[in-house]
Amino acid sequence: MLRLGVNIDHVATIRNARGTPWPDPLRAALIAQAAGADGITAHLREDRRHISDADIDALMANLTQPLNFEMAATMEMQAIALRHRPHAVCIVPEKREERTTEGGLDVAGNDNALAGYIAPLREAGCRVSLFIGHEPAQIRAAARIGAAVVELHTGAYCDLDTEGRHAERDAELAALREGAALAHDLGLEVHAGHGLTFDTVGPIAAIPQVAELNIGHFLISESVFLGLEGAIREMRARMDAARA
């Protein structure tokens, strides 16, 4: 079955806008679990703009589903991951000025440094995932340095769909399909995510090599209208229909 990881970062964004204790990301994670999420994703950014260290503490103490801990490749974040030892660690590129993650990690250009960086995480029992684009060089580098998983960045595909640039969208989708096939052939588990909506999830969910989708901002946005449980169940249904 295609797994759904629910990213709860933007529950914390809403909380932090007013400096109150609510809405509580842990409560959102527990609702997501009950609604059928197969895992919870949380990105602890260097500037702590949404998820906090206390949130990670609470998630690790209370979740029954796996935590996918997204983080930049810094020594601070490595130390936090090694202290908590979550099920999965996803290394993402991070810029202080960006609103959201703008692209994939440059593994091919930093393979020696990243190989050394992820080695202690692997030894601690974390499944290491790299958030990358679909370029073959990046996928091959991820396999070469010992990552267990690659998460393919679907943001460009989703943006092109929203902008009505359908020929370019279809080309991007084809490239994602080719990237997923290559990653699978190299022994990597394939995940995908970023920007997925009810309208764009189907073609990504239908890629046979993709084992997991990680979706956050859209689900939190839709929960205003459908409730978080309702939004997750609708996404789950669309994923399952596409995979069937």
Side-chain angles (χ1 to χ4, degrees):
M1 179 182 289
L2 178 61
R3 300 191 301 271
L4 171 61
V6 173
N7 186 312
I8 58 165
D9 291 354
H10 296 297
V11 176
T13 298
I14 298 169
R15 174 195 63 192
N16 296 353
R18 291 291 295 270
T20 66
W22 51 82
D24 180 8
L26 174 60
R27 184 179 178 189
L30 297 176
I31 292 170
Q33 286 186 157
D38 300 293
I40 300 299
T41 294
H43 182 176
L44 184 65
R45 281 183 170 264
E46 292 181 84
D47 62 8
R48 309 307 200 265
R49 71 178 65 170
H50 38 60
I51 294 296
S52 69
D53 297 74
D55 292 327
I56 299 298
D57 293 343
L59 292 166
M60 287 298 302
N62 291 280
L63 288 180
T64 56
Q65 295 283 25
L67 175 66
N68 177 33
F69 178 51
E70 288 189 344
M71 64 182 217
T74 68
M75 299 312 296
E76 178 198 22
M77 291 299 156
Q78 185 192 68
I80 292 169
L82 290 173
R83 184 169 73 250
H84 285 294
R85 301 193 179 195
H87 167 76
V89 169
C90 184
I91 311 298
V92 302
E94 190 174 311
K95 300 175 186 175
R96 291 294 179 93
E97 67 274 14
E98 68 187 359
R99 291 187 179 182
T100 185
T101 307
E102 295 174 347
L105 196 67
D106 181 13
V107 185
N110 298 280
D111 53 350
N112 288 335
L114 283 169
Y117 183 83
I118 71 173
L121 298 168
R122 294 172 57 200
E123 291 166 6
C126 301
R127 296 195 77 211
V128 176
S129 173
L130 302 178
F131 187 70
I132 62 172
H134 50 62
E135 298 83 1
Q138 301 296 346
I139 295 168
R140 293 184 189 281
R144 187 168 61 248
I145 70 171
V149 181
V150 289
E151 181 169 342
L152 299 181
H153 190 308
T154 55
Y157 155 75
C158 293
D159 290 344
L160 291 166
D161 182 80
T162 300
E163 295 164 9
R165 297 159 61 184
H166 294 157
E168 293 169 85
R169 174 204 62 192
D170 293 346
E172 182 68 11
L173 179 60
L176 286 165
R177 289 182 179 132
E178 291 172 5
L182 173 61
H184 183 266
D185 288 346
L186 292 171
L188 294 160
E189 183 169 303
V190 184
H191 300 177
H194 201 80
L196 293 170
T197 69
F198 291 153
D199 294 331
T200 56
V201 73
I204 301 297
I207 298 173
Q209 295 87 357
V210 173
E212 179 175 303
L213 299 180
N214 284 296
I215 306 175
H217 185 264
F218 178 79
L219 288 174
I220 303 309
S221 300
E222 280 298 298
S223 71
V224 173
F225 308 105
L226 302 178
L228 185 55
E229 180 179 354
I232 291 170
R233 291 193 184 281
E234 177 64 18
M235 186 64 79
R236 173 86 265 171
R238 294 189 185 222
M239 289 168 53
D240 291 344
R243 180 53 63 94

